Amino acid sequence: MGLPFIVLNYKTYLQGTGQGAVEIAKACKAVSEDSGIEIAVAPQLPDIYRVASEVELPVFSQHLDGIGAGSFTGHVFGKSIKDAGAVGTLINHSEKRLTLAEIEASLKAAKKFGLRSVICTNNVPTTAAAAALGPDYVAIEPPELIGSGIPVSKADPEVVSGSVEAVAKINSQVKVLCGAGISKGEDLRAALDLGSQGVLLASGIVKAADPKAALEDLIRLV
Ligand SMILES: O=C[C@H](O)COP(=O)(O)O
């Protein structure tokens, strides 16, 4: 078991908007350099270029549409976020739910533009379905725990271990992240002990008074 992969989703939290997006990214870079743990950030679309230009760390989009060049007003085009400096994307986050066909199309677009892909899921069956599509990662997140501060690794460990088992049977190349309520070192430790290879988190870090200190606590038991 190597070091975990951590994805910090800024969502549309004020603290992670505009220059705040850069400041949190700097904190993530510092902790990543000190620990050797890969930490990616997912700012809002307009902040991707700003963060990627100012801070050397993996930047992910919060969403990607399965469209190409042309008349797709208001959509997220893979080449646009790639050229802005993104190296990956979330797909199907519970706050940006897609149909199965849309998920497949978004994943196809991610692969076309060489973007690392994290398909977000809400239970074991949807995790198994997502793994069958062949993303780089799935991220299992029970929606009812998102933003609750109640870590999935304690509140619903079976959904994590069950997702790990399901993915291993379907496509062992797909890595499993988990999320929802993760904020402390013991939450990440529990998630890793359940077989996940990292976490997707947001409020515990982005809304923290000191995001760098919160990140240092998060990784202290790795
Ligand atoms: O994208 C992150 C997940 O929705 C978890 O959010 P949270 O860490 O605020 O519970």
Side-chain angles (χ1 to χ4, degrees), residues 9 11 13 93 95 141 145-148 180-182 200-203:
N9 180 7
K11 300 192 176 184
Y13 290 124
H93 190 278
E95 295 150 12
E141 295 193 303
L145 295 174
I146 290 175
S148 69
I182 300 278
L200 169 60
L201 76 170
S203 54

Side-chain angles (χ1 to χ4, degrees), residues 8-149:
L8 180 61
N9 180 7
Y10 289 8
K11 300 192 176 184
T12 57
Y13 290 124
L14 199 56
Q15 298 91 328
T17 299
Q19 186 56 31
V22 174
E23 296 312 314
I24 292 176
K26 287 177 180 175
C28 291
K29 177 178 169 61
V31 173
S32 179
E33 287 182 335
D34 289 349
S35 64
I37 293 172
E38 184 181 24
I39 301 175
V41 294
Q44 296 166 71
L45 288 168
D47 291 328
I48 288 177
Y49 182 75
R50 177 200 299 258
V51 172
S53 303
E54 296 189 37
V55 190
E56 192 175 339
L57 87 170
V59 178
F60 278 46
S61 179
Q62 294 179 14
H63 168 69
L64 173 65
D65 286 301
I67 50 95
S71 51
F72 298 100
T73 303
H75 288 70
V76 180
F77 180 29
K79 178 171 172 41
S80 174
I81 60 172
K82 176 85 170 187
D83 289 356
V87 298
T89 186
L90 304 182
I91 297 170
N92 192 49
H93 190 278
S94 69
E95 295 150 12
K96 184 68 177 173
R97 270 297 181 236
L98 303 177
T99 65
L100 185 56
E102 289 168 331
I103 294 170
E104 194 270 340
S106 292
L107 179 60
K108 192 173 176 182
K111 290 180 176 180
K112 178 179 179 179
F113 293 105
L115 295 165
R116 292 162 67 183
S117 50
V118 180
I119 297 181
C120 301
T121 60
N122 60 305
N123 57 32
V124 174
T126 58
T127 304
L133 295 173
D136 295 298
Y137 303 87
V138 293
I140 169 66
E141 295 193 303
E144 67 277 8
L145 295 174
I146 290 175
S148 69

